[in-house]
Amino acid sequence: MTFNDILKESWLSISGNKIRSILTILGIIIGVLAVVVMVTFGETVQKQIDDQFSALGTNTIIIRAGAAQTGGVRTFSGMQTLTIQDADALAQLPEVEFASPVRNFGGQVIFGNKNWGTTVVGVYPAYQHIQNIEIEQGVFFDWSAVRNASTYAILGSRIVKELEMGNNPIGQVIRVGNTPLVVIGVTKEKGEGMGSTDDSIFVPLTTLQKRISSPRFPNSVPTVMLRLTANADNNFATEQMTLLLRERHKLRDDQRDDFQITDMKQVMETMNTIAGFMKMLLISIASVSLLVGSIGIMNMMLVSVAERTREIGIRKAIGAKESHIITQFMSESVLISFIGSMIGLLLGIAGAQFLVPMMMNYPATISMWAVALSVIVALVVGFASGVFPAIKAAKLNPIDSLRHE
C-alpha cells in the first residue's frame, strides 16, 4: 500500500466514528493548547524580568540603611545609618562608576488647578546614569544645581499628562507643598514595572533636604545607589563596599552590618531561577492534559481493534502481514494526534496572544521551541498510544478473527 492509500484508509476509519474521534482529538487539542499557553506564560515572565533588569542594569548596587533581622525585616534606629559622606566615599572605589545618595518624599504636586500625588526623589546628577533615565524634553540638572539647591525639577511623563501641562512643559512652574519648582526636563515614558520613572519628580538632593522636606537628620539618607564599571566583579565590589562602610561606621567584628547591600545581578539570577522553576512546573501541569489525551487515543484504538476483529482476520487471510496491520493502526493513531496537535497549536497561539497580555499587561513572547516541542510531543504521544493496540491487532489469530461476530 502507498502512503496515500494508508492515509485514505486511516481517514475513512476515523471519520466513520465521528463522535468518538472528535472527543479523542479534543483531548489532544486541550493538551497542546495548555502546553503552548503555559510555556508562553513562563517565557513572557522571564522576558519581563530580563527587560526590567536590563533597564536598571545588572551592574547596579543598592545600599539601604538599617540592619537586617531574621526573616529579612530591617530595623532602623532613630538616626539613619547611611550618610551623604558614605555615598561620596563609595564613589571613590575603583569599581564604582557612578554613585548617588537617594531620598524620597511623598507629596502633592500642583500646577494651576490640577494636583497629583507623587514621589519626589532627591538625587545627584549621577542618578540619571545609574537608572538609565532617558530625557525626552529638556535636560537633567547638573552639579551646580546640587551645590546651590536650585529649584529645578525633572518630571515623569505621567505627571505631565495628569497635570495637563501640554506638549511643552519646559520652563513652567509647579509647586510641591509651598516650594515652587521650575520644570527643566521630562523623562521618556517607560511604562509600568521595575525602575519606571513615569510617576516621579527628580530634584537635586540638597533642594529636597533644604526646601521641601526638612528632614530631622539632613546629612543622613535611607539609600545609596551605585553603578559599577563595565568590567567590575560584582562580588568583589560588594566585599569592598562592606569593608568600607563597616570601617566608616566603626563597627566591631562581633557587630552586624547596619546597612544592606543588594546586588541587582544576583537578584536577576535568583528571579530567573525562580521563573525557570515556575515554567517547568507549568509545563508539567499542562503535560498532564497531553497524558490524558494519549490515554484517550489508546482507548479509542483498543475499541477500534475490538470492533474490527473480523476485518483484521479477513486482511490476514488474504495475505496481509503483521507489519501491514501495525502500520494501518499506527497511522490512524498518529493522524488523530496530528489533527489534534495542529488545531491545539493554532488555538494555543491565539489564546496566548490574548490571555497573557491581559493577565500580565505585557506582550506575549511566543517561543518557537515551545511550538515545536508541543507538536513533537503530541505526535510522539500519538505514536506511543497506538503501539499497544496495533500490536494487539497484528497478533490476532486470523481463524479466530473470522469467527468473531
Side-chain angles (χ1 to χ4, degrees):
M1 294 178 68
T2 65
F3 176 77
N4 288 336
D5 292 333
I6 294 173
L7 190 62
K8 188 181 295 183
E9 281 207 33
S10 299
W11 175 251
L12 289 173
S13 176
I14 293 170
S15 59
N17 296 279
K18 291 185 176 61
I19 301 298
R20 188 169 64 193
S21 298
I22 289 171
L23 292 176
T24 305
I25 291 172
L26 186 60
I28 298 298
I29 291 173
I30 293 172
V32 174
L33 186 152
V35 170
V36 172
V37 171
M38 292 299 187
V39 172
T40 301
F41 184 81
E43 290 284 341
T44 305
V45 169
Q46 202 152 24
K47 180 69 164 50
Q48 187 176 28
I49 291 172
D50 290 341
D51 287 349
Q52 289 182 351
F53 278 95
S54 294
L56 288 176
T58 55
N59 56 348
T60 302
I61 304 291
I62 301 174
I63 305 177
R64 294 182 176 87
Q69 290 184 333
T70 304
V73 179
R74 285 184 291 124
T75 57
F76 295 91
S77 58
M79 182 181 292
Q80 296 283 0
T81 55
L82 286 177
T83 65
I84 294 175
Q85 288 72 29
D86 287 335
D88 295 337
L90 289 165
Q92 302 307 311
L93 290 173
E95 296 83 9
V96 176
E97 186 175 12
F98 299 105
S100 173
V102 182
R103 179 178 287 278
N104 296 333
F105 175 77
Q108 292 288 122
V109 56
I110 301 169
F111 176 74
N113 62 348
K114 301 289 183 180
N115 67 86
W116 180 253
T118 188
T119 301
V120 182
V121 187
V123 292
Y124 282 174
Y127 188 82
Q128 179 187 4
H129 305 289
I130 296 171
Q131 289 287 73
N132 292 323
I133 297 175
E134 298 182 61
I135 301 297
E136 187 170 33
Q137 293 178 273
V139 296
F140 208 85
F141 55 80
D142 56 18
W143 275 104
S144 64
V146 177
R147 287 192 296 269
N148 300 325
S150 302
T151 53
Y152 295 153
I154 314 297
L155 303 187
S157 57
R158 183 177 180 184
I159 295 174
V160 173
K161 293 177 183 177
E162 295 293 341
L163 295 180
E164 299 179 6
M165 300 184 71
N167 296 326
N168 186 21
I170 305 301
Q172 300 194 55
V173 178
I174 60 172
R175 283 191 300 112
V176 176
N178 295 320
T179 305
L181 299 171
V182 179
V183 178
I184 64 168
V186 178
T187 65
K188 188 176 181 180
E189 185 174 356
K190 283 190 174 183
E192 296 181 4
M194 188 182 300
S196 176
T197 58
D198 295 351
D199 196 7
S200 299
I201 299 176
F202 300 99
V203 299
L205 179 63
T206 49
T207 304
L208 179 67
Q209 292 175 317
K210 294 178 180 180
R211 301 178 185 274
I212 298 176
S213 66
S214 300
R216 181 182 175 190
F217 305 105
N219 206 38
S220 298
V221 289
T223 307
V224 175
M225 293 192 68
L226 309 102
R227 166 156 288 196
L228 304 181
T229 57
N231 299 321
D233 183 325
N234 287 40
N235 292 330
F236 178 76
T238 301
E239 291 174 4
Q240 294 301 305
M241 293 174 193
T242 302
L243 292 173
L244 176 63
L245 289 175
R246 286 186 65 86
E247 182 180 346
R248 288 184 57 83
H249 296 181
K250 297 180 172 57
L251 297 175
R252 300 188 306 272
D253 291 342
D254 61 339
Q255 288 182 296
R256 293 182 304 168
D257 296 340
D258 60 357
F259 54 87
Q260 286 190 99
I261 299 179
T262 302
D263 181 355
M264 298 308 291
K265 183 178 181 180
Q266 292 182 351
V267 173
M268 186 186 75
E269 290 172 353
T270 301
M271 293 294 289
N272 276 330
T273 300
I274 294 172
F277 280 125
M278 182 188 73
K279 185 164 63 176
M280 293 306 298
L281 177 62
L282 292 175
I283 293 173
S284 300
I285 294 171
S287 297
V288 173
S289 300
L290 272 177
L291 178 61
V292 173
S294 70
I295 294 172
I297 292 176
M298 185 178 293
N299 180 64
M300 175 182 172
M301 297 311 297
L302 286 172
V303 172
S304 180
V305 170
E307 290 178 345
R308 297 160 64 187
T309 302
R310 187 174 180 83
E311 175 193 328
I312 295 168
I314 294 172
R315 286 174 180 267
K316 298 189 77 172
I318 61 177
K321 298 178 181 179
E322 289 188 0
S323 60
H324 296 156
I325 304 298
I326 291 174
T327 300
Q328 183 62 45
F329 279 87
M330 288 297 300
S331 64
E332 292 178 20
S333 177
V334 172
L335 182 59
I336 289 172
S337 182
F338 179 77
I339 294 171
S341 63
M342 288 297 103
I343 297 174
L345 177 61
L346 295 175
L347 292 177
I349 292 174
Q353 292 281 15
F354 173 74
L355 291 174
V356 173
M358 184 177 67
M359 294 172 63
M360 298 181 59
N361 195 27
Y362 197 82
T365 302
I366 303 294
S367 173
M368 292 310 298
W369 77 263
V371 169
L373 178 66
S374 60
V375 174
I376 291 171
V377 169
L379 293 177
V380 170
V381 162
F383 183 85
S385 301
V387 169
F388 177 68
I391 293 176
K392 182 180 178 182
K395 295 298 182 182
L396 289 176
N397 187 302
I399 297 175
D400 294 336
S401 299
L402 288 170
R403 291 174 178 171
H404 183 81
E405 294 295 336

